[in-house]
């Protein structure tokens, strides 16, 4: 079964949206396999956003992600990578449809409540990055 990495970002945690976000994916029928609340290190944040390293907003991205606790999650279900991206909605507020998480809860490009892997390969890489430390002490 396909797996993906979903993360409630610091703004989502501060705004009390953890339960709302988890509910949406549970209601959809997906399975939550792992969850960890953690304030990311600069190293993890930079590795997570490595593909954006050359972008002008990279520094802002890393600063934001390390600004407070996030909820890192592994979810599982049929076609979950693509479907979760639909449920999350577009990055640009003008394009994020009402009914999607960003359409309902985000009004800026940089503080947009949730991250979801954009491909099966990204999901594998991100799950390995975020849960590397956890896997070692979970049987
Ligand atoms: P995310 O899905 O976590 O992946 C990359 C992130 O970059 C994206 O969410 C946005 O939060 C952020 N992002 C994309 N474009 C911009 C931008 N122009 N300015 C600031 N942040 C951006």
């Amino acid at each position: 079964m396909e797996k993906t990495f979903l993360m409630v970002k610091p703004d989502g945690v501060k705004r009390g949206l953890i339960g709302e976000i988890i509910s949406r994916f549970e209601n959809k029928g997906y399975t939550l396999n792992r969850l960890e609340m953690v304030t990311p290190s600069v190293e993890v944040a930079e590795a997570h956003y490595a593909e954006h390293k050359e972008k002008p907003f990279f520094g802002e991205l890393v600063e934001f992600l390390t600004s407070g606790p996030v909820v890192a999650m592994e979810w599982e279900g049929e076609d979950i990578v693509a479907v979760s991206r639909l449920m999350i909605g577009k990055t640009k507020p003008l394009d994020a449809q009402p009914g999607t998480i960003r359409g309902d809860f985000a009004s800026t490009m940089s503080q947009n409540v949730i991250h979801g892997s954009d491909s099966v390969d990204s999901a594998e890489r991100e799950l390995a990055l975020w849960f590397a430390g956890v896997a070692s002490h979970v049987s």
Side-chain angles (χ1 to χ4, degrees), residues 24 86-87 89 93-105:
R24 288 191 179 215
L86 289 177
M87 292 169 67
L94 251 181
D95 298 332
Q97 297 290 316
T100 65
I101 294 168
R102 287 176 176 165
D104 291 349
F105 300 111

Side-chain angles (χ1 to χ4, degrees), residues 31-101:
T31 303
L32 179 57
N33 285 341
R34 301 190 201 201
L35 179 152
E36 192 181 14
M37 191 165 185
V38 61
T39 300
S41 64
V42 170
E43 291 71 24
V44 167
E46 285 183 348
H48 176 77
Y49 282 132
E51 68 184 280
H52 298 295
K53 210 168 170 184
E54 307 306 326
K55 306 261 174 68
F57 55 84
F58 182 68
E60 185 194 328
L61 260 185
V62 171
E63 196 178 329
F64 169 56
L65 204 67
T66 55
S67 67
V70 303
V71 176
M73 299 174 285
E74 178 185 291
W75 284 84
E76 181 172 326
E78 203 171 311
D79 294 325
I80 191 166
V81 171
V83 178
S84 60
R85 297 279 294 185
L86 289 177
M87 292 169 67
I88 288 169
K90 302 277 189 199
T91 309
K92 221 171 144 187
L94 251 181
D95 298 332
Q97 297 290 316
T100 65
I101 294 168

